[in-house]
Amino acid sequence: MTQQAGKPFLYVVVCAAGIAADVGELIGAAQRRGWEVGVIATPVAMNGFFDTAAVETRTGRPVRSAWRTPGDPRPFPPPDAVVVAPATFNTVNKWAAGLADTLAVATLCEASGLGVPVAALPCVADALAAHPAYQESLIRLRGMGVRFGEPYSGEDRDTAEFPWERGLDLVSR
């Protein structure tokens, strides 16, 4: 656990899916459970998928999407846990393959290697979820210890709520 205010530090990795607009629900739930939170977003998610200013206000920290330059201070302490939500088809497949071409995916790859508890809440359309590469990625990530919430297609947004707090449950067990 980090020593900052005696609270554990949670990285929330946000991917580009419509449900990302509600990421404040995860942040609020984490804070109520005693976590400090820092958000790392994929570059595409930064293009209007969620309110970055509101997230920065809520967490008191900048939303990260790009690597810092050498010599710049680290804006976040090391994570005690990571929740990637929503976890998209693209991010899941790149993460499983070790293609760390964005800060978000590199963070996920590194967390797995450090033994930090990681939970993923997938938001993948049914047609994409049926793709063999995605199924193989889930197997590989589970083998690496990643804990997955139930699939959410995003197509059923009117009839089901995205399980934001499930990510916290998965990293707390």
Side-chain angles (χ1 to χ4, degrees), residues 111-134:
S112 299
L114 291 172
V116 172
V118 181
L121 301 178
C123 183
V124 177
D126 292 339
L128 291 174
H131 193 284
Y134 181 74

Side-chain angles (χ1 to χ4, degrees), residues 12 23-32 35 37 39 55 58-59:
V12 172
V23 72
E25 291 184 33
L26 173 58
I27 295 165
Q31 291 170 329
R32 286 188 298 277
W35 293 89
V37 180
V39 174
V55 166
R58 184 169 223 163
T59 64

Side-chain angles (χ1 to χ4, degrees), residues 61-156:
R61 299 179 182 276
V63 173
R64 297 196 59 211
S65 183
W67 279 278
R68 62 186 175 82
T69 56
D72 282 350
R74 293 181 183 274
F76 301 164
D80 294 294
V82 179
V83 175
V84 55
T88 60
F89 177 84
N90 190 49
T91 295
V92 167
N93 287 326
K94 288 186 347 181
W95 177 17
L99 300 175
D101 65 340
T102 66
L103 178 62
V105 178
T107 298
L108 295 172
C109 290
E110 184 177 56
S112 299
L114 291 172
V116 172
V118 181
L121 301 178
C123 183
V124 177
D126 292 339
L128 291 174
H131 193 284
Y134 181 74
Q135 294 302 316
E136 291 169 12
S137 293
L138 294 177
I139 291 166
R140 175 175 270 182
L141 292 171
R142 283 187 180 108
M144 293 166 46
V146 176
R147 304 159 187 181
F148 281 89
E150 293 299 314
Y152 179 87
S153 71
E155 297 161 4
D156 49 1

